[in-house]
Amino acid sequence: MKARFIGFVSALALAAGVALFAAGPGHAATPAVQITKVYYNSPGTDTRSNKSLNAEYIRLTNRRTSAIKLKGWTLRDKANHVYTFATYTLGAGKSVYIHTGKGTNTTSHRYWGQGDYVWNNTGDTAYLRTPARTLVDSCSWGSKGSYTTC
């Protein structure tokens, strides 16, 4: 059953024109899009100001040499707060920051529009999934520090 599922996921990725993972002999697979930084504890006092909310963010990086369409992809936490990408393409080798608060979306900065913090300072996990709910990458952290690199 596991082999069928992996074959099905590979077929979906191929149909979408995306290699979800690539690995050489003896190497762990690198996700096509990787969570590379989570700033879960914005600097200063948690005032819920838009400035403070936007200092909480996740950085995603495209590890491929071609652009990847992220329409319908989701980013979520353990409490099931969900950010869904609308029509958006992440360029080859580029990064995008998803900020918790409100703002004007650009090619490198997207805004969730939340009025409260999403990522727990006491520990949490971020999950990145395709529209088919295939897990592409995840990143976990504990209660120490303000950010983590994944």
Side-chain angles (χ1 to χ4, degrees):
M1 185 68 174
K2 188 174 183 180
R4 276 192 204 166
F5 177 74
I6 292 170
F8 174 73
V9 169
S10 297
L12 282 175
L14 185 60
V18 173
L20 293 178
F21 302 94
H27 294 88
T30 300
V33 178
Q34 189 173 22
I35 300 168
T36 52
K37 185 173 185 178
V38 181
Y39 210 117
Y40 53 86
N41 186 5
S42 59
T45 306
D46 289 345
T47 62
R48 290 192 181 102
S49 70
N50 198 52
K51 181 179 179 181
S52 179
L53 289 167
N54 282 334
E56 181 182 85
Y57 64 82
I58 287 198
R59 180 180 66 203
L60 304 178
T61 303
N62 179 351
R63 297 295 190 192
R64 299 294 172 257
T65 57
S66 59
I68 298 176
K69 293 180 181 182
L70 298 184
K71 181 178 181 181
W73 287 43
T74 59
L75 186 60
R76 69 182 66 223
D77 69 346
K78 283 184 177 179
N80 211 30
H81 296 100
V82 181
Y83 174 84
T84 303
F85 281 92
T87 301
Y88 178 75
T89 300
L90 183 57
K94 301 290 184 182
S95 293
V96 62
Y97 295 81
I98 297 90
H99 300 273
T100 299
K102 297 173 178 75
T104 302
N105 290 333
T106 67
T107 56
S108 57
H109 294 272
R110 312 304 278 183
Y111 296 87
W112 200 324
Q114 296 292 311
D116 204 353
Y117 301 95
V118 172
W119 309 107
N120 294 327
N121 298 351
T122 56
D124 208 339
T125 302
Y127 304 94
L128 179 65
R129 296 183 185 273
T130 67
R133 298 187 48 93
T134 303
L135 181 65
V136 175
D137 197 21
S138 65
C139 179
S140 298
W141 59 91
S143 60
K144 293 186 178 180
S146 295
Y147 67 90
T148 189
T149 54
C150 307

